[in-house]
Amino acid sequence: MTEKPTMIAFQDVHKYYGDYHALRGITATIKAGEFFSLLGPSGCGKTTLLRTIAGFEGISSGAVMIDGRNMAGVPANQRPTNMVFQSYAIFPHLTVGENVGFGLRRAGLTKDALAARVGEALDMVGLKGYGARAAHALSGGQRQRVALARALILKPKVLLLDEPLSALDKKMREQMQVELIRLQRQVGITFILVTHDQEEALVMSDRIAVMFEGEIAQLADPETLYRRPNSRKVADFIGTMNFLPASILSETGGKLEVEAQGFGKVTLEAEQAPGAASGEGAAVGFRPETLTILFEGQTATDRESMATIEEVVYYGDMTYYDVRLDGTEKPIRISMRNVFGRPVLDIGARTRVAWSPGALVLFR
Amino acid sequence: MMNASSRWAKLRQTEAANGLLMISPTALYAILMLAAPLGTIVLYSFLTDGYLEIIRDFTLANYIEAWTNELYRSVMIRSLAVAMVVTLVTVLLAFPIAYFVSFYVAPSKKSLWLFLITIPFWTSYLIRVFLWKVILGYNGVVNSGLLGLGLIDEPLTFILYNVNSVVITLAHAYAPFAILPIFVALEKIDRSLLEAGQDLGESKFMTFRRVTLPLAMPGVIASVLIVFIPTIGDYVTPQLVGGPEGRMVANLIQLQYLKLDNYPLGSAIAVSAMGIVTLVSLIFIGLNRRYLKGPK
Amino acid sequence: MMKGGWFKVYAIGYLVFLYAPIIILPMFAFNDATVIAFPLTGFSTRWFSAMLEQPTLSLAVKNSLFIAVTSAVLATTLGVFAARASTRYRFPMKAGLMGLIMLPLVLPEIIVAVSLLVVLLGLGVSLSLWTVILGHVLICTPFTIAILSSAFQSLDQSLEEAAYDLGESAASTFRLIILPLVMPGIISSLLISFTISLDEFIIAFFLAGTEPTLPVFIFSQFRFPSAVPVIMALGTVLVCLSIILLTIAEYFRRRGIAKSGGKDTGGFL
């Protein structure tokens, strides 16, 4: 696979609001044609960072480059980016067609050419024939599509999406996620999505930057982010992660010898400590689905431990067990798919748990 | 030079500078046409009135005159009393209307009711006041009605050209001013709070007293102030329906300025009136401070 | 008893109280008698014809219209600046400046009148229609700000950003997006200030000098009982006019809210 060219580069970007340090030295690159997400809790600076690309926020120091060009002093209306706003910002006094064609006013197109372009854009977002409708009469999902068409009609180099799905209900949101992915593949433009929903980011993105308090905590593809988070904070923010105390015994040839509570002595590869753990006070983390409760007649493929079941939460397709491994103080969570014929265990039952050292992540 | 202009460019980009620039035409107008004149009045009130000119001698004589002269004092006390009674009557009459529109009128019809309530306010004030003279007069609507019904043998005379007629007329004139703030406050009350009140064992009336009324108080306070402050300075009503014993402070100020040409004394009376209004309003707000606390 | 029944009875009684003068007004305007008192004597339109023959009245109407139109335009212009500044920006002394600008809302008009009179005479400015306009702009501006603020408030800031993002300049964004969306507010603010100015008496009384305005003329006529029936006819015309203006203003206010997709939360003020 050839390396794609860089579309956006942040070079040590800082942003202050008075005394408040909103962006604390962001350095990252976003590649052309990538679906990139900025993920983080509210107030982490993700929207601010997006708006520095659009040109709605100035930066205090550093540089924002788009397609190799420094954007300092370039106002929002001259940047090769377009935005889909959280509120969609559909102009209520214009029709759907006028909204979509808004940015082409200066292009000097003939009436017919304009209508053709608008029709094309509406077609692309599945709103064929909606051009003459009044904008304020649209549903949430339709507004979203109009906003998309309006931003894409200018063929920007980068499309910025500020929490575009947060106002939709769950079903609509899932449908739009799939459509956004399809649209991005179709137009091939760089998409940058701001979201606080980790699931949304995992589903849609090629790469994700997780942000906390004005800094990028980890920038990786969804699988790495999920399997190998580089800090407890990232691990906690994305899905559920169990932690058990551990101590590092030795470090030789890139391999780590670790004594973990409940698991005993294990040897981990260097890539299993992405946060570069060393020294005391470490912990091992693992996802609930990487452990398996062994039922009668089943045997572990790798290693197994004994445990006691302390809580059972039944979800229909899944059952969540809070179990305590022998020799540990607090319970850990294990998720099991409820396949046909498998019983749901009772609280207090003793059980065997299968696990593999490869699923463990070492944290500082 | 270069440096100064780039600094200016930077300042122009800040929000504060943009805001100040944007508001400056209106703010300048208010400063020149309102703040400066008010300051001038305060200044005049400390000067001495000479024949045909103002003498620039600092004096408290105007205030002493305004506060000790029996005539001026009685007019000021009357103005205060009338304004208080008008405020009380207006707000008491307005509350049930605001409550009715907010709680019993269907949402789609609320703006129609508000529109109906505000219409009379926008029709000629002078003519409305004059018509109260017609309604309350010797051969007026009230008297001819009561005579016709045989309830009285002779027309009532105590309802025109005195304080009573001033109160009725002003209560009419300021009705919408009183209703709207209360209505807005009532509209903001989360209806589930009232259900919670009843759910917790209170009767409807006690729920009203313990939940609705305290939450509506900011609106009530606003309407008290918005009625009280302008009524005390009303000129037309006392002039037209007040008769000699219904005169109020505005009539006195007008007399000093336009008839007697005594600007310093007129200013002292005007400043005193503003002072009293401010003081009474502050005391009133202070007494009700607990209702105004908390999130807005 | 229906829900809120007693309240409804009270509310209707209250509306009767509010509308009593307006209901009585046309009765005397169309009454044959010279004396304003019951019982009514007979139908006549002669007071309306007499009204048309009043030379001072037509001058007063002309003056008042000039003052009202000018004041409405100036007050609305000042209102646009202040409403935009207060809804969009944070800046130092905001509360103080806005407080000063809104002060005439609670200040007795006589205070505005005498303080302006003192300053204008002190500066040697001779009283004219323009001095009345100075005062009227002052008292109308707070009303325009109240109306325009809600128009600007319901304007989503990302609409401006969206237009800017799509390549428009600050000026063309204002023209293409902001102005059309707040236009209903501007129209209703013009109408409201026009109505206030047209009806304002005390400032005109102090600052008009020898020029008659409509309210000053009406006030002066109250002294002559024989002139009162004509004033009743005039009042009827004025009331009809203001109801028409208000209905138009209300229509634009509501259309403005509907257009920007907002919720109607109340009337004027």
Side-chain angles (χ1 to χ4, degrees):
Chain A
M1 200 172 114
T2 54
E3 189 69 2
K4 289 176 186 165
T6 297
M7 177 52 76
I8 289 184
F10 298 108
Q11 294 167 358
D12 197 27
V13 173
H14 287 266
K15 169 78 184 173
Y16 289 90
Y17 292 107
D19 288 339
Y20 180 66
H21 200 171
L23 295 177
R24 308 178 175 205
I26 303 289
T27 299
T29 55
I30 298 169
K31 290 179 217 129
E34 193 170 29
F35 200 127
F36 193 89
S37 289
L38 296 168
L39 172 67
S42 59
C44 72
K46 56 189 190 297
T47 297
T48 307
L49 190 60
L50 188 82
R51 290 167 62 88
T52 65
I53 306 173
F56 295 130
E57 302 279 356
I59 54 176
S60 308
S61 69
V64 177
M65 317 279 289
I66 301 179
D67 205 15
R69 190 171 155 223
N70 192 329
M71 285 292 126
V74 180
N77 53 359
Q78 286 163 29
R79 295 195 181 192
T81 62
N82 284 115
M83 182 123 148
V84 174
F85 291 83
Q86 185 167 14
S87 63
Y88 309 143
I90 303 297
F91 304 127
H93 58 304
L94 304 179
T95 63
V96 169
E98 285 167 339
N99 261 285
V100 172
F102 190 87
L104 291 175
R105 188 176 75 93
R106 292 163 174 244
L109 298 176
T110 64
K111 228 174 164 185
D112 290 341
L114 181 70
R117 286 278 295 274
V118 169
E120 239 172 73
L122 282 173
D123 207 9
M124 183 171 66
V125 295
L127 284 181
K128 197 171 184 171
Y130 275 66
R133 294 218 188 172
H136 60 79
L138 298 176
S139 73
Q142 289 168 336
R143 284 164 168 267
Q144 157 91 79
R145 287 160 201 263
V146 172
L148 271 168
R150 186 178 70 180
L152 286 172
I153 201 169
L154 289 174
K155 305 204 162 79
K157 288 180 178 163
V158 183
L159 183 75
L160 307 169
L161 302 122
D162 184 8
E163 306 240 8
L165 307 177
S166 60
L168 303 177
D169 62 42
K170 191 166 183 279
K171 210 160 193 171
M172 196 69 195
R173 195 159 59 226
E174 282 166 5
Q175 189 188 332
M176 280 310 294
Q177 284 176 0
V178 177
E179 269 192 62
L180 273 176
I181 297 170
R182 177 189 64 77
L183 201 60
Q184 199 259 342
R185 282 189 193 137
Q186 185 186 331
V187 296
I189 291 172
T190 311
F191 276 34
I192 304 180
L193 172 84
V194 159
T195 180
H196 63 267
D197 183 340
Q198 44 106 3
E199 198 179 291
E200 189 171 296
L202 292 177
V203 169
M204 297 171 75
S205 323
D206 295 321
R207 286 195 307 151
I208 301 169
V210 182
M211 292 183 65
F212 296 116
E213 289 160 6
E215 291 177 274
I216 293 180
Q218 187 169 6
L219 197 166
D221 61 274
E223 196 189 342
T224 309
L225 209 57
Y226 188 79
R227 286 189 53 231
R228 299 286 182 248
N230 66 359
S231 70
R232 287 196 194 205
K233 219 168 164 184
V234 172
D236 261 340
F237 191 73
I238 295 169
T240 312
M241 179 77 95
N242 294 300
F243 296 103
L244 284 172
S247 55
I248 298 164
L249 302 175
S250 68
E251 197 175 343
T252 42
K255 289 189 191 263
L256 294 149
E257 191 82 14
V258 173
E259 169 81 45
Q261 218 179 71
F263 295 125
K265 257 184 212 158
V266 285
T267 305
L268 304 179
E269 301 293 328
E271 57 107 11
Q272 283 175 266
S278 66
E280 290 137 42
V284 289
F286 47 97
R287 300 286 181 193
E289 67 277 6
T290 58
L291 269 61
T292 311
I293 288 180
L294 293 171
F295 292 87
E296 215 146 307
Q298 292 180 316
T299 50
T301 49
D302 198 344
R303 313 249 309 246
E304 68 172 72
S305 303
M306 285 304 290
T308 310
I309 291 173
E310 298 205 332
E311 186 65 76
V312 180
V313 186
Y314 181 73
Y315 271 87
D317 60 336
M318 304 284 285
T319 303
Y320 283 76
Y321 294 98
D322 284 350
V323 308
R324 199 152 59 77
L325 295 172
D326 288 358
T328 62
E329 282 129 38
K330 63 179 182 87
I332 55 164
R333 172 151 288 193
I334 298 177
S335 62
M336 294 292 291
R337 187 152 290 283
N338 290 333
V339 295
F340 178 74
R342 179 186 286 175
V344 173
L345 298 175
D346 291 327
I347 294 174
R350 293 284 290 166
T351 181
R352 291 175 298 134
V353 173
W355 57 279
S356 165
L360 301 181
V361 187
L362 187 65
F363 294 103
R364 227 186 304 212
Chain B
M1 185 61 211
M2 184 62 214
N3 197 5
S5 69
S6 74
R7 198 176 301 161
W8 169 239
K10 199 162 190 177
L11 182 73
R12 268 188 49 190
Q13 285 175 353
T14 68
E15 190 184 342
N18 274 326
L20 282 172
L21 197 68
M22 188 67 87
I23 203 169
S24 58
T26 321
L28 275 178
Y29 191 84
I31 289 167
L32 288 178
M33 294 297 154
L34 185 63
L38 289 178
T40 312
I41 291 213
V42 175
L43 185 69
Y44 266 48
S45 68
F46 291 106
L47 299 179
T48 311
D49 181 50
Y51 185 66
L52 289 178
E53 58 172 346
I54 311 289
I55 301 164
R56 291 171 195 272
D57 280 344
F58 180 83
T59 177
L60 287 174
N62 303 310
Y63 284 98
I64 295 167
E65 173 73 1
W67 287 86
T68 54
N69 186 313
E70 187 52 40
L71 172 71
Y72 302 154
R73 207 169 54 188
S74 68
V75 169
M76 262 198 251
I77 292 172
R78 182 191 303 142
S79 303
L80 190 61
V82 167
M84 282 177 165
V85 174
V86 168
T87 308
L88 187 74
V89 170
T90 312
V91 174
L92 281 183
L93 287 177
F95 194 94
I97 293 295
Y99 189 81
F100 168 72
V101 177
S102 178
F103 281 74
Y104 291 107
V105 171
S108 58
K109 291 206 175 135
K110 279 182 184 174
S111 28
L112 178 68
W113 271 89
L114 291 180
F115 188 56
L116 281 178
I117 288 165
T118 33
I119 280 187
F121 171 75
W122 295 108
T123 58
S124 175
Y125 181 52
L126 281 172
I127 287 172
R128 259 187 299 146
V129 172
F130 184 82
L131 285 163
W132 278 104
K133 205 163 134 177
V134 174
I135 294 171
L136 301 171
Y138 192 81
N139 292 318
V141 180
V142 172
N143 276 330
S144 42
L146 291 176
L147 279 171
L149 290 171
L151 290 172
I152 50 171
D153 301 323
E154 272 184 32
L156 306 171
T157 52
F158 65 87
I159 51 174
L160 189 64
Y161 294 132
N162 56 27
V163 174
N164 296 336
S165 50
V166 174
V167 170
I168 295 174
T169 309
L170 285 175
H172 176 262
Y174 284 91
F177 270 138
I179 293 173
L180 290 177
I182 301 175
F183 171 77
V184 170
L186 288 171
E187 279 292 280
K188 279 191 198 147
I189 298 175
D190 182 353
R191 298 303 192 253
S192 62
L193 290 177
L194 309 182
E195 288 169 2
Q198 286 184 43
D199 183 58
L200 294 169
E202 288 292 14
S203 67
K204 267 198 160 145
F205 177 69
M206 283 307 286
T207 305
F208 174 79
R209 256 197 60 188
R210 292 184 61 189
V211 182
T212 314
L213 198 54
L215 288 172
M217 271 317 270
V220 173
I221 292 164
S223 66
V224 163
L225 293 177
I226 216 166
V227 174
F228 176 76
I229 298 172
T231 27
I232 203 168
D234 194 88
Y235 174 83
V236 172
T237 300
Q239 190 72 24
L240 283 181
V241 303
E245 46 172 305
R247 293 286 143 87
M248 284 168 58
V249 71
N251 310 89
L252 199 59
I253 295 171
Q254 187 262 345
L255 192 72
Q256 293 297 338
Y257 270 92
L258 295 189
K259 292 272 155 58
L260 304 178
D261 221 15
N262 189 342
Y263 286 10
L265 184 55
S267 301
I269 295 169
V271 173
S272 304
M274 280 194 287
I276 293 173
V277 171
T278 313
L279 191 70
V280 172
S281 307
L282 288 180
I283 292 173
F284 181 73
I285 292 172
L287 289 176
N288 289 293
R289 211 169 38 201
R290 65 193 175 106
Y291 292 117
L292 299 174
K293 274 196 216 139
K296 282 208 164 176
Chain C
M1 196 79 206
M2 58 171 276
K3 207 177 165 208
W6 288 112
F7 276 110
K8 192 157 195 177
V9 171
Y10 176 81
I12 288 164
Y14 194 88
L15 281 184
V16 170
F17 167 67
L18 278 183
Y19 279 84
I22 299 179
I23 296 164
I24 287 167
L25 181 63
M27 292 187 192
F28 289 106
F30 290 106
N31 188 26
D32 201 18
T34 324
V35 185
I36 302 295
F38 283 100
L40 304 173
T41 53
F43 181 84
S44 158
T45 56
R46 68 177 167 130
W47 305 122
F48 288 89
S49 359
M51 180 180 85
L52 296 174
E53 284 153 19
Q54 266 273 3
T56 332
L57 176 61
S58 66
L59 178 63
V61 168
K62 230 173 70 195
N63 285 343
S64 274
L65 284 177
F66 173 69
I67 293 173
V69 169
T70 315
S71 304
V73 171
L74 292 176
T76 302
T77 311
L78 290 179
V80 167
F81 282 110
R84 173 83 173 150
S86 80
T87 49
R88 178 74 158 69
Y89 300 101
R90 273 175 304 170
F91 49 90
M93 299 180 301
K94 181 176 178 177
L97 287 175
M98 284 309 289
L100 176 67
I101 292 166
M102 299 303 274
L103 185 63
L105 210 54
V106 288
L107 205 62
E109 281 169 11
I110 188 146
I111 305 274
V112 176
V114 297
S115 63
L116 268 174
L117 179 75
V118 165
V119 169
L120 292 171
L121 292 184
L123 293 172
V125 179
S126 56
L127 299 179
S128 66
L129 297 183
W130 282 101
T131 48
V132 180
I133 290 171
L134 286 181
H136 281 187
V137 169
L138 205 57
I139 59 160
C140 290
T141 304
F143 286 91
T144 68
I145 293 174
I147 295 166
L148 291 167
S149 289
S150 67
F152 278 113
Q153 204 105 58
S154 57
L155 200 65
D156 181 359
Q157 203 192 313
S158 52
L159 290 177
E160 288 169 48
E161 289 184 346
Y164 200 53
D165 186 56
L166 293 167
E168 296 297 339
S169 66
S172 62
T173 300
F174 189 83
R175 185 167 58 83
L176 293 170
I177 303 300
I178 301 176
L179 208 55
L181 287 175
V182 297
M183 195 40 102
I186 289 177
I187 291 172
S188 85
S189 138
L190 282 172
L191 291 172
I192 295 289
S193 0
F194 178 83
T195 315
I196 293 172
S197 170
L198 198 65
D199 191 34
E200 202 286 329
F201 165 68
I202 194 89
I203 290 175
F205 188 48
F206 272 75
L207 300 180
T210 51
E211 293 276 357
T213 74
L214 197 52
V216 173
F217 171 76
I218 292 172
F219 190 77
S220 70
Q221 295 298 298
F222 285 149
R223 275 182 295 154
F224 315 116
S226 62
V228 170
V230 175
I231 298 300
M232 294 293 109
L234 176 62
T236 309
V237 173
L238 286 179
V239 167
C240 292
L241 215 67
S242 28
I243 290 178
I244 291 169
L245 280 184
L246 283 167
T247 313
I248 297 172
E250 172 72 5
Y251 168 78
F252 276 105
R253 196 187 62 80
R254 287 199 200 178
R255 213 182 69 166
I257 290 168
K259 222 174 171 184
S260 53
K263 227 182 93 191
D264 194 355
T265 47
F268 311 111
L269 298 178

